[in-house]
């Protein structure tokens, strides 16, 4: 078994430890934002401010070589390219595909999709999937007709997954239509996730969850409800390095056992070094502020210029992280 399979098996058996925390690099953003998802071209020599597909694939190859993350989440098209060249042949990293791409993840430049009611949609075919694991996402908006339709699409996906021996993890986004008040997002998501899974047999259930961090109280409530349910968090926007590491620390303290970050990794000055700092936090070797300093010290030794000076990068700027217990260090 690869590293992810070993960890998820321990979690299912209730024998996991802190070291089994699952880290995933979400390099599936081409299914959301297209060209602008590739990250900035820091060379400043290209025709576009964004990197090309080959540079994005190079980042994935480098992350696999580093061998720190447990899951590499990519689009089906990029997985095909990587599989053809044997990138996963000797890797302990589990490949996964984005198995659906609901409209609220579409972030085409100039588009209003993120604020429109989410519409279920699926590009990838499970029949041709080159891996046995994928991400399925849903968004509940508090509208009975819409939410029932989303659950019907989820049921069709589960039937397809079972027919093809395909396992999945479930991503549930915050409401994006404005019907649910933001202070209620956390408890609304908790209730909708639990009720959506209550009718499923064990064989139909996701291997783990991926949800937004809506504060320590909401996440603790969900993690405590059923310890057999593995809860993971998504990263959200780029933020500061301290935001990234503080999110990991606080979520793990609430009971989360997985993290799947995309923009926080791709927009970092050094994505490879950042995931090493992330692992130092989840393993308990460093607190978030210490890990931020570790990250900057390593960059300074290489002579790299950072987008933010250390003082600014040690600040917590995300509101939900300031609401709960904050580890020792500098706050914004």
């Amino acid at each position: 078994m690869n590293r992810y399979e070993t960890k998820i098996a321990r979690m299912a058996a209730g024998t996991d430890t802190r070291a089994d925390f699952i880290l995933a690099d979400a390099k599936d953003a081409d299914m959301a934002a297209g060209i602008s998802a590739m990250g900035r071209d820091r060379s400043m020599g290209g025709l576009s401010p964004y990197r090309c597909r080959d540079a994005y694939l190079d980042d994935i190859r480098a992350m696999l070589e580093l061998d720190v993350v447990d899951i590499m989440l990519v689009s089906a098209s990029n997985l095909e390219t990587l599989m053809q060249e044997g990138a996963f042949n000797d890797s302990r990293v589990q490949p996964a595909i984005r198995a659906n791409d609901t409209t609220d993840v579409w972030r085409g430049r100039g588009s209003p999709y993120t604020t429109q009611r989410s519409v279920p949609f699926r590009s990838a075919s499970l029949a041709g999937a080159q891996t046995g694991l994928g991400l399925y996402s849903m968004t509940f908006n508090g509208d009975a007709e819409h939410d029932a339709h989303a659950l019907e699409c989820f049921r069709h996906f589960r039937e397809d997954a079972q027919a093809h021996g395909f396992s999945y993890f479930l991503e549930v986004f915050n409401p994006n239509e404005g019907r649910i008040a933001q202070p209620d997002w956390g408890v609304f998501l908790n209730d909708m996730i639990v009720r959506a899974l209550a009718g499923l047999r064990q064989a139909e259930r996701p291997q783990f969850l991926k949800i937004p961090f809506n504060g320590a109280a909401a996440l603790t409530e969900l993690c405590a409800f059923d310890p057999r349910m593995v809860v993971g968090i998504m990263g959200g926007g780029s933020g500061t390095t301290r935001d990234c590491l503080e999110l990991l620390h606080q979520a793990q303290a609430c009971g989360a056992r997985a993290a799947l970050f995309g923009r926080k990794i791709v927009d970092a000055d050094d994505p490879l070094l950042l995931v090493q700092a992330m692992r130092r936090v989840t393993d308990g070797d460093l607190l978030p502020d210490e890990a931020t300093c570790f990250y900057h010290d390593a960059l300074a030794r290489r002579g790299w210029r950072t987008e933010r000076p250390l003082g600014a990068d040690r600040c917590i700027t995300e509101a939900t992280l300031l609401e709960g217990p904050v580890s020792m260090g500098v706050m914004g």
Side-chain angles (χ1 to χ4, degrees):
M1 295 193 295
N2 62 32
R3 191 165 51 241
Y4 162 73
E5 292 168 328
T6 300
K7 290 183 176 184
I8 205 71
R10 288 187 188 130
M11 291 177 185
T15 59
D16 57 300
T17 67
R18 180 171 190 156
D20 291 313
F21 192 94
I22 295 168
L23 287 180
D25 186 1
K27 286 287 196 294
D28 60 331
D30 48 332
M31 295 188 71
I35 290 174
S36 60
M38 302 296 99
R40 289 162 294 170
D41 180 3
R42 297 177 186 273
S43 71
M44 305 299 289
L47 298 176
S48 167
Y50 303 103
R51 295 177 303 166
C52 63
R53 181 179 182 235
D54 283 345
Y56 195 62
L57 287 168
D58 282 344
D59 273 6
I60 296 172
R61 297 180 186 107
M63 193 67 74
L64 293 176
E65 182 68 24
L66 182 66
D67 196 31
V68 170
V69 300
D70 304 298
I71 298 173
M72 179 58 69
L73 175 65
V74 296
S75 61
S77 60
N78 281 344
L79 181 60
E80 181 179 41
T81 298
L82 293 163
M83 285 294 195
Q84 286 173 346
E85 65 188 41
F88 286 92
N89 286 356
D90 299 314
S91 176
R92 296 188 298 166
V93 179
Q94 170 69 48
I97 60 166
R98 175 167 278 279
N100 76 324
D101 38 320
T102 53
T103 60
D104 53 332
V105 305
W106 298 1
R107 292 186 289 110
R109 287 166 285 178
S111 72
Y113 295 121
T114 56
T115 58
Q116 296 176 2
R117 179 187 300 182
S118 173
V119 177
F121 179 75
R122 198 151 52 110
S123 293
S125 167
L126 300 189
Q130 294 177 287
T131 180
L133 182 67
L135 167 66
Y136 188 87
S137 64
M138 285 196 299
T139 302
F140 298 110
N141 271 303
D143 178 272
E145 183 177 359
H146 167 269
D147 293 351
H149 177 58
L151 287 168
E152 278 291 315
C153 292
F154 179 38
R155 179 174 63 82
H156 294 319
F157 166 78
R158 296 195 313 271
E159 292 169 350
D160 194 17
Q162 284 195 296
H164 291 95
F166 189 85
S167 299
Y168 71 99
F169 48 101
L170 179 64
E171 175 179 62
V172 184
F173 288 112
N174 281 328
N176 74 319
E177 191 188 21
R179 188 182 296 265
I180 305 296
Q182 185 169 351
D184 294 329
W185 283 358
V187 293
F188 174 74
L189 240 63
N190 287 355
D191 287 343
M192 291 303 293
I193 289 169
V194 170
R195 72 147 312 282
L197 299 182
L200 308 189
R201 295 175 292 107
Q202 185 60 42
E204 301 175 276
R205 294 171 71 91
Q207 296 208 345
F208 63 93
L209 299 173
K210 176 187 177 186
I211 64 170
F213 183 72
N214 287 311
L219 184 57
T220 299
E221 178 187 70
L222 183 62
C223 293
F225 174 75
D226 182 1
R228 292 165 296 185
M229 181 170 60
V230 178
V231 179
I233 53 165
M234 62 182 74
S238 301
T240 63
T241 299
R242 177 67 183 278
D243 285 334
C244 172
L245 301 172
E246 189 69 38
L247 176 55
L248 279 175
H249 178 74
Q250 290 195 30
Q252 190 174 27
C254 295
R257 289 183 280 176
L260 301 93
F261 289 179
R263 278 174 283 175
K264 279 180 165 46
I265 294 175
V266 76
D267 288 339
D269 291 299
D270 186 338
L272 300 180
L273 183 58
L274 179 65
V275 297
Q276 293 176 69
M278 290 167 63
R279 183 61 78 189
R280 297 287 293 271
V281 170
T282 61
D283 283 350
D285 297 332
L286 295 174
L287 290 171
D289 186 60
E290 295 171 333
T292 303
C293 294
F294 158 81
Y295 175 77
H296 274 263
D297 287 346
L299 290 174
R301 286 195 297 271
R302 298 177 189 176
W304 286 26
R305 291 187 59 187
T306 58
E307 182 176 346
R308 298 183 193 88
L310 175 58
D313 215 22
R314 293 174 71 187
C315 292
I316 299 172
T317 65
E318 296 180 5
T320 53
L321 296 174
L322 293 168
E323 294 171 2
V326 175
S327 62
M328 294 177 61
V330 177
M331 295 189 299

